[in-house]
Amino acid sequence: MGETTAVTVHFENSQPILRVEDMETSLRFYAGKLGFKNASWGSEDFTCITRDGAVIYLCRGDQGRGGAWVWIGVENAEKLHDELKALGVASHSPLTNHP
């Protein structure tokens, strides 16, 4: 195999598009429980939600498949976990540090 060259293009950021089946239910969770803000231009089919520097697009029934995972870095995961738990947000696994 030949030598590979290092990529030199700077990546600005990543903004995943998640498929949702019900936009209203999804917004109740992301905006109502997780504290994201819905874009003023959002519709029943497509919207953008933000919280601080995190951006996620939601698309009703038209992008990808369900079951995607998204990692969002936060300054204090334990504090966020406690806040969400107090709001009744279900956690599928205990708060754990991974290598």
Side-chain angles (χ1 to χ4, degrees):
M1 298 233 162
E3 287 186 33
T4 58
T5 331
V7 177
T8 59
V9 175
H10 174 76
F11 279 55
E12 293 177 356
N13 60 39
S14 177
Q15 298 179 5
I17 301 173
L18 301 181
R19 176 189 178 114
V20 300
E21 296 304 320
D22 184 311
M23 188 64 74
E24 185 177 331
T25 299
S26 297
L27 288 173
R28 272 197 308 270
F29 178 71
Y30 286 102
K33 293 283 188 176
L34 299 187
F36 281 79
K37 181 180 176 188
N38 187 22
S40 61
W41 53 261
S43 71
E44 290 182 13
D45 293 319
F46 193 80
T47 196
C48 176
I49 56 172
T50 59
R51 180 170 171 173
D52 303 320
V55 178
I56 301 172
Y57 289 90
L58 304 177
C59 184
R60 186 171 60 90
D62 196 31
Q63 295 282 332
R65 297 182 182 241
W69 289 29
V70 175
W71 176 89
I72 299 173
V74 298
E75 65 184 351
N76 188 329
E78 188 173 353
K79 182 178 178 183
L80 178 62
H81 179 266
D82 292 345
E83 288 175 7
L84 296 177
K85 186 176 178 182
L87 291 170
V89 175
S91 178
H92 296 283
S93 59
L95 189 60
T96 305
N97 282 327
H98 295 278

